[in-house]
Amino acid sequence: MSEVAVVGFAGADRSLTTSGVETLVPVITAALADAGLARRDVDFWCSGSSDYLAGRAFSFVSAVDAIGAVPPISESHVEMDAAWALYEAYLKILAGEAETALVYGFGKGTAGDLFRVLSLQLDPYTVAPLWPDAVSVAALQARLALDAGLFTEDDMAGVAGRRADGPYVSCPLREHDVAEVADGAAAMVLASRDRARGLRERPAWISGFAHSVDPQGLGERDLTTVPSAVAAARDAGLTAPVDVAALHAPFTHQELLLRRVVRAGAYLPFGANAMFSAGLSRIGAAAVEVMSGRARTAAGHATSGPALQQNLVCAMEA
């Protein structure tokens, strides 16, 4: 029997504020209201963000102002998309150290040239010195998949609801193949089995949760089969298609590659690419489908690193 459930969620894929606190306050407030909890009812808080992206040290500490200093809190942080903070909170509840947890993530990807900044994730000796931007690296992956006959450019355009026309951004990727970079935030509330039953009539029970990582070197893994996504889906128990899935795919070809791994009756559309909250938002979108009664089973996915290097899968059920 599932021991942890999602009982509340709120997100803002686009934000016009300059402060992480200003972005987070309404999102955290909405997530707590959705779960029927007050701030003092949260046993554990965990966040996902990046000081490097923010351009200053300990930016996640200043964001704690969005929570409030009174009463004192138990808090943690991961330098990753908040989907990985969700995994930490999930384990915290499984370990019996908390009954409720609130996870939040935020990032301001528009503060600089994000695709150039992401070049620093690449191998520091052989690839990063060449400064290939993130779109160009993704284009290499897309070209390999196209040449392998896995899909066509029309299939990629279909993911974006467009026709395969317009100039290339980085061949074979066109403008509609690249998700818009945005600022955003998301917050999710978890609860233990006993607490969840009292908070929500239909919680989204977490039935499986796993993440995996591939080697950093682009030539050390099969970019078209995404081994870490296969491993994460397997370890999360996705042996059969779910009713609905929400995939974190910053590029249309990555959505198609992931659909071969996370099988579903329907896929929720992916909007803006809000760094460090997009993955949590995808899990939240899948959880909402279960909590609303529109789906019985669902899966949320998050990715990090170049060309789908790291992947996380969260399976949920009614």
Side-chain angles (χ1 to χ4, degrees), residues 118-215:
L118 292 179
S119 299
L120 297 175
Q121 297 181 116
L122 300 167
D123 180 273
Y125 301 105
T126 62
V127 184
L130 302 176
W131 284 100
D133 64 88
V135 178
S136 298
V137 172
L140 291 174
Q141 183 182 40
R143 173 53 61 197
L144 286 170
L146 288 168
D147 289 351
L150 299 183
F151 44 75
T152 67
E153 289 190 39
D154 285 336
D155 295 329
M156 293 163 55
V159 171
R162 302 284 295 277
R163 295 176 57 190
D165 56 13
Y168 289 112
V169 177
S170 182
C171 186
L173 300 180
R174 304 175 193 268
E175 184 175 352
H176 59 249
D177 292 313
V178 183
E180 174 194 359
V181 175
D183 308 333
M188 181 179 291
V189 182
L190 298 181
S192 64
R193 182 174 61 188
D194 293 339
R195 288 298 304 275
R197 287 173 171 168
L199 290 171
R200 199 172 195 105
E201 181 179 353
R202 187 183 171 94
W205 297 99
I206 297 177
S207 57
F209 208 159
H211 61 95
S212 183
V213 59
D214 290 321

Side-chain angles (χ1 to χ4, degrees), residues 18-296:
T18 59
S19 163
V21 174
E22 291 177 354
T23 303
L24 285 169
V25 168
V27 173
I28 290 175
T29 300
L32 286 169
D34 190 38
L37 291 174
R39 280 174 168 76
R40 65 178 62 89
D41 297 323
V42 178
D43 298 330
F44 178 66
W45 303 74
C46 196
S47 62
S49 65
S50 171
D51 285 350
Y52 192 91
L53 184 68
R56 60 183 183 274
F58 298 106
S59 63
F60 74 92
V61 175
S62 63
V64 174
D65 287 346
I67 302 172
V70 179
I73 61 171
S74 173
E75 185 267 345
S76 184
H77 172 263
V78 297
E79 193 84 0
M80 287 282 285
D81 187 288
W84 276 263
L86 180 69
Y87 188 80
E88 180 178 341
Y90 168 74
L91 293 180
K92 192 85 168 179
I93 295 177
L94 281 183
E97 297 184 10
E99 290 190 342
T100 58
L102 190 145
V103 178
Y104 61 95
F106 63 100
K108 190 171 181 61
T110 64
D113 186 344
L114 178 66
F115 294 135
R116 184 171 173 83
V117 170
L118 292 179
S119 299
L120 297 175
Q121 297 181 116
L122 300 167
D123 180 273
Y125 301 105
T126 62
V127 184
L130 302 176
W131 284 100
D133 64 88
V135 178
S136 298
V137 172
L140 291 174
Q141 183 182 40
R143 173 53 61 197
L144 286 170
L146 288 168
D147 289 351
L150 299 183
F151 44 75
T152 67
E153 289 190 39
D154 285 336
D155 295 329
M156 293 163 55
V159 171
R162 302 284 295 277
R163 295 176 57 190
D165 56 13
Y168 289 112
V169 177
S170 182
C171 186
L173 300 180
R174 304 175 193 268
E175 184 175 352
H176 59 249
D177 292 313
V178 183
E180 174 194 359
V181 175
D183 308 333
M188 181 179 291
V189 182
L190 298 181
S192 64
R193 182 174 61 188
D194 293 339
R195 288 298 304 275
R197 287 173 171 168
L199 290 171
R200 199 172 195 105
E201 181 179 353
R202 187 183 171 94
W205 297 99
I206 297 177
S207 57
F209 208 159
H211 61 95
S212 183
V213 59
D214 290 321
Q216 184 182 36
L218 298 175
E220 298 178 51
R221 53 189 165 109
D222 187 342
L223 298 180
T224 65
T225 60
V226 198
S228 60
V230 173
R234 179 197 65 222
D235 294 343
L238 291 185
T239 58
V242 293
D243 294 338
V244 65
L247 304 174
H248 179 193
F251 304 92
T252 56
H253 75 277
Q254 293 181 347
E255 170 96 11
L256 294 172
L257 291 175
L258 291 166
R259 286 182 183 183
R260 298 165 65 90
V261 179
V262 181
R263 295 173 295 150
Y267 295 93
L268 301 178
F270 181 55
N273 184 19
M275 289 293 295
F276 297 99
S277 65
L280 183 65
S281 290
R282 303 312 285 155
I283 298 173
V288 167
E289 294 298 301
V290 174
M291 292 188 292
S292 67
R294 291 189 292 268
R296 185 184 62 83

